[in-house]
Amino acid sequence: MKLLNTYEDRDEAEKAESLITGEKRLASERDGTETIYNLFGEATWGNLYKLSMFNLPELQKLVELKNKNLPYDQSRYKEIISMLRYAAKTFELKIPDHWL
């Protein structure tokens, strides 16, 4: 399990935990008077998508347009792919070829 995301709101953290699949755990920690919630789980593209991380829902729309040979925001697409390269290294994932 890896740290997937951190939340300041307990309800938001519990909702995120309910969205992902596989082994998962929500841990809280106090920093002075504030409590933060760390969501641990399996680092998969599916789980990251369900958490709306790394603009994956937006990438899905851009890839659909690209595959249909329709106009799409190429600079935004490149920006998201660049961010995904970082995420892939961080979470030890491979970016699916059909996204590239």
Side-chain angles (χ1 to χ4, degrees), residues 45 56 59-69 72 74 76-88 93-100:
W45 289 120
L56 288 171
L59 176 66
Q60 180 182 16
K61 293 174 186 171
L62 292 172
V63 169
E64 287 171 1
L65 291 172
K66 180 181 173 194
N67 289 341
K68 293 177 183 175
N69 292 318
Y72 66 98
Q74 293 181 8
R76 181 67 178 140
Y77 169 80
K78 289 178 183 177
E79 184 179 315
I80 293 172
I81 292 298
S82 175
M83 190 179 350
L84 290 184
R85 286 192 171 97
Y86 164 77
L93 297 170
K94 180 187 180 302
I95 299 175
D97 291 335
H98 66 276
W99 291 0
L100 302 173

Side-chain angles (χ1 to χ4, degrees), residues 3-98:
L3 175 62
L4 300 180
N5 210 350
T6 301
Y7 301 89
E8 294 180 5
D9 179 72
R10 181 179 180 162
D11 291 336
E12 184 181 1
E14 288 174 345
K15 181 181 178 190
E17 181 185 27
S18 73
L19 293 174
I20 64 174
T21 57
E23 190 176 352
K24 54 191 170 183
R25 184 184 68 183
L26 191 60
S28 62
E29 62 179 275
R30 293 188 75 84
D31 182 21
T33 59
E34 294 186 26
T35 302
I36 60 170
Y37 302 89
N38 295 314
L39 177 60
F40 294 89
E42 294 179 14
T44 65
W45 289 120
N47 280 342
L48 297 175
Y49 178 87
K50 291 172 188 172
L51 297 173
S52 297
M53 294 178 68
F54 304 110
N55 299 300
L56 288 171
E58 182 182 358
L59 176 66
Q60 180 182 16
K61 293 174 186 171
L62 292 172
V63 169
E64 287 171 1
L65 291 172
K66 180 181 173 194
N67 289 341
K68 293 177 183 175
N69 292 318
L70 296 171
Y72 66 98
D73 187 341
Q74 293 181 8
S75 64
R76 181 67 178 140
Y77 169 80
K78 289 178 183 177
E79 184 179 315
I80 293 172
I81 292 298
S82 175
M83 190 179 350
L84 290 184
R85 286 192 171 97
Y86 164 77
K89 286 180 184 177
T90 301
F91 292 112
E92 299 172 1
L93 297 170
K94 180 187 180 302
I95 299 175
D97 291 335
H98 66 276

